[in-house]
Amino acid sequence: MPAVLDEVARLVTVAPLSRKGRVFRLVAPDGDAIVAALRPALDSQSFHARFTVEIAVVTTPWLAWLRQSPDIRNPLPREGAVKAVLSTMECGPDEIAACAAEVSAMLARALPEWLPLLDRSELWWRLREDGPLPGTCARVAVRAALAADAGDEPATRRDADAIERLDPASDFPDWVRAAIRNWPPPQDGDVK
């Protein structure tokens, strides 16, 4: 584990996110989450960290597709429905406090753009209306997953058909069509 990066993460504070290791999360009651993380670069070392600061909004329907599982615990930014790399940074042992302060400030500046997306209806509206998003997004696929979750069969089928025309080999259209009938997926302890 990169020791410098772990120390930076330990000192980062950004309300209302809570920290576990190098990952910071705010989870909504429906399981959707804002997730930020400090992700080490391949050449990062314990005594000199090179890392990216990533942020995402992770929705449970999109996460279920990516994981092919109803397990939605501990989402990561790379699993985001909307995601972004805020910065690439380097930090040595003498710069830990300054790096942590910079990351904290960066996340605090970014959160106002991301927090509204925790309201799934807001995210779905932006996807349907081609509204602004603070990061990258597979708009049609995420829109289809959210439509299936909401039980909107016509919208789900329209988007699934569009994806199938572009990528006939994709499993996603069949998965999302089935999700209309099967959502929500069973959770641990549910009677099957």
Side-chain angles (χ1 to χ4, degrees), residues 2-101:
V4 167
L5 186 53
D6 291 334
E7 284 302 303
V8 170
R10 189 179 63 75
L11 295 175
V12 169
T13 57
V14 59
L17 305 180
S18 60
R19 180 181 73 84
K20 182 176 181 182
R22 295 184 303 251
V23 180
F24 305 83
R25 292 183 186 91
L26 173 63
V27 180
D30 63 3
D32 292 356
I34 298 289
V35 185
L38 309 182
R39 188 171 184 181
L42 293 176
D43 61 348
S44 191
Q45 299 185 21
S46 63
F47 54 86
H48 188 87
R50 213 163 72 75
F51 60 97
T52 56
V53 180
E54 302 172 344
I55 190 167
V57 61
V58 180
T59 65
T60 56
W62 185 247
L63 190 57
W65 155 249
L66 291 177
R67 292 186 176 178
Q68 295 291 298
S69 165
D71 180 5
I72 57 170
R73 294 173 294 176
N74 302 318
L76 298 171
R78 67 176 175 260
E79 298 170 311
V82 181
K83 54 192 168 190
V85 174
L86 298 178
S87 182
T88 299
M89 300 179 67
E90 288 194 39
C91 186
D94 296 336
E95 304 152 330
I96 291 172
C99 282

Side-chain angles (χ1 to χ4, degrees), residues 101-162:
E102 187 175 344
V103 170
S104 296
M106 184 183 313
L107 290 172
R109 284 190 306 272
L111 274 177
E113 285 187 290
W114 291 86
L115 287 172
L117 301 180
L118 258 187
D119 175 352
R120 194 178 295 170
S121 62
E122 173 69 17
L123 175 58
W124 195 20
W125 179 84
R126 289 187 193 195
L127 293 169
R128 285 191 323 262
E129 302 300 321
D130 202 27
L133 296 172
T136 62
C137 176
R139 280 182 183 260
V140 176
V142 172
R143 189 173 63 211
L146 295 180
D149 179 60
D152 186 339
E153 187 170 352
T156 304
R157 292 197 182 285
R158 182 180 54 249
D159 288 338
D161 291 348

